Amino acid sequence: MKEKITERFLKYVKFDTTADPNNFACPSTEGQRVFANYLVEELKKLGLEDANVGENSYVMATLKGNTEGVDTIGFISHLDTAPDITGKDVKPRVIKNYNGEDIILNEELNVITYIKDYPELSELKGHDIIVTDGTTLLGADDKAGITAIMTAVEYLSNHPEVKHGDIKIGFTPDEEIGRGADLFNVEKFGAKYAYTIDGGVEGELEYENFNAAGATIKIQGRNVHPGSAKNKMINALHIACEIADSFPANERPETTEHYEGFYHLNDMNGSVEEATMIYIIRDHDRKSFELKKKKLLEIRDDINVHYNHFPIKVDVHDQYFNMAEKIEPLKHIIDIPKRVFEALDIVPNTEPIRGGTDGSQLSFMGLPTPNIFTGCGNFHGPFEYASIDVMEKAVQVIIGIAQEVTQYEK
């Protein structure tokens, strides 16, 4: 199976599917459409005759079950890769029996993955791993997930003796720019619940994530010649600094972990005349999340009161919510993969996701969707890697879930 996984993954990462946050079409890049069409043809060759792709490049297909009275479940991954660094002309390299030491990705450019910076790599000693040449990302996020799903589908198609119900397959565009589930047709998909295969290291089984909001702060200053500025100039940049300093220093991404939320100043630009700040607000607890949004408005009001023209305008919009609200009441959705993990000697890690996932939006759209590991890490950059050994375990988990669902008593 490892050879098939390797072959498939190396083929998939050659597709340039970088998402474009500045293009509001869906998909945001043509490469995602090309990849979606390729996957549909591959699914049809595997016997999934209903495999199809819509105009927005959402791929859907059904692996018909061989057991009646079983919940229809789904497995979902995303087509796109992050825009943080190019996904074009990816040159992957397979390292057999990795020695657990520093990896020279590109000797000429002196790009090296140091174990001291990424100590989790030492746990992959003896694995076959795939890395980049240090000039692009790898695309494991989430072509590893697609590889695992497709390999599991191929196995189940070739082994009709393995009992399973109907299994829905879904691949979405533009997850990396927060739009992956926007046009996902839950009713058409037809699963009772699903699993995104979009996690990191072995054992991840995630069903909690941040509540998330975005905030755009616009500041209108007043620019006059600095030589005659006294009591006239209002420097929008200084107000921006005052706003930033008003948030607790211990509630930033770099000072928080686990269940701790944060305010993150993601972008700031401007001049004396006007400035813009972009914040993201995150918290796992809904009450704390609402209080964080409220604090931002209080900061606005506390500063505005000192000016006649109320220079600060704030637009806050919710982005997604903690999927635990929808999943925790349905205990069996987590118990099923936990039993599979136990059978495969995989230790489950149910730490909350310090970010978002298609599964969050899908859960609130009526499709409860936890997240499962792929065996990859260092996403969105040149140090990205994939463990073929752990990807194989992800395939085994998918197959195991399909089987375990037939044992679930409704």
Side-chain angles (χ1 to χ4, degrees), residues 211-275:
N211 296 291
T216 300
I217 304 172
K218 292 189 176 296
I219 306 162
Q220 184 60 57
R222 184 193 300 148
N223 195 10
V224 298
H225 190 285
S228 56
K230 187 172 182 179
N231 298 325
K232 298 175 184 176
M233 178 185 287
I234 298 174
N235 192 325
L237 294 173
H238 287 315
I239 295 177
C241 292
E242 186 178 358
I243 292 170
D245 287 342
S246 297
F247 293 106
N250 64 346
E251 294 186 34
R252 298 172 181 166
E254 62 268 34
T255 60
T256 55
E257 60 183 349
H258 304 307
Y259 282 94
E260 296 169 336
F262 57 73
Y263 304 90
H264 176 45
L265 178 55
N266 197 53
D267 186 68
M268 182 168 72
N269 61 80
S271 62
V272 173
E273 183 70 21
E274 57 185 12

Side-chain angles (χ1 to χ4, degrees), residues 203-220:
E204 286 184 352
L205 173 58
E206 300 160 321
Y207 57 94
E208 298 179 83
N209 63 280
F210 277 136
N211 296 291
T216 300
I217 304 172
K218 292 189 176 296
I219 306 162
Q220 184 60 57

Side-chain angles (χ1 to χ4, degrees), residues 366-382:
L367 181 65
T369 310
N371 190 43
I372 290 173
F373 69 89
T374 61
C376 309
N378 296 346
F379 299 136
H380 299 191

